[in-house]
Amino acid sequence: MSQAAQTQTVIQRRRSFHRNTTPIAMSRVISILFVLFLFVIGGGMAFLASWDMPAPSKTVEKVIPDERFPR
């Protein structure tokens, strides 16, 4: 295959790619990505809502001076 024939083949492939990527196909891809994004957000919210995070178990002792309380 000559260089010119290879170049023509590459050009034809690029043209067919541009013909196959219509606005309808691109909007379908965007719609699928948006639905996946919503699933990820919804899954994260469900995880946070159902997560039983343990309360801190460290005892805190702090001395508060008497001057801070009015008499």
Side-chain angles (χ1 to χ4, degrees):
M1 186 180 274
S2 69
Q3 182 69 23
Q6 287 177 347
T7 304
Q8 287 298 324
T9 304
V10 170
I11 291 172
Q12 288 173 352
R13 285 182 188 163
R14 286 184 182 168
R15 285 183 183 159
S16 68
F17 174 75
H18 288 293
R19 265 187 257 129
N20 291 337
T21 55
T22 61
I24 293 170
M26 293 303 289
S27 67
R28 186 173 182 153
V29 169
I30 290 172
S31 298
I32 291 171
L33 288 175
F34 183 70
V35 168
L36 286 173
F37 176 74
L38 289 178
F39 274 121
V40 168
I41 296 296
M45 290 174 64
F47 172 75
L48 289 175
S50 64
W51 182 25
D52 189 21
M53 187 168 65
S57 60
K58 183 178 178 184
T59 305
V60 177
E61 292 185 25
K62 188 171 185 179
V63 177
I64 300 174
D66 285 337
E67 293 86 37
R68 290 188 66 182
F69 298 105
R71 291 188 186 212

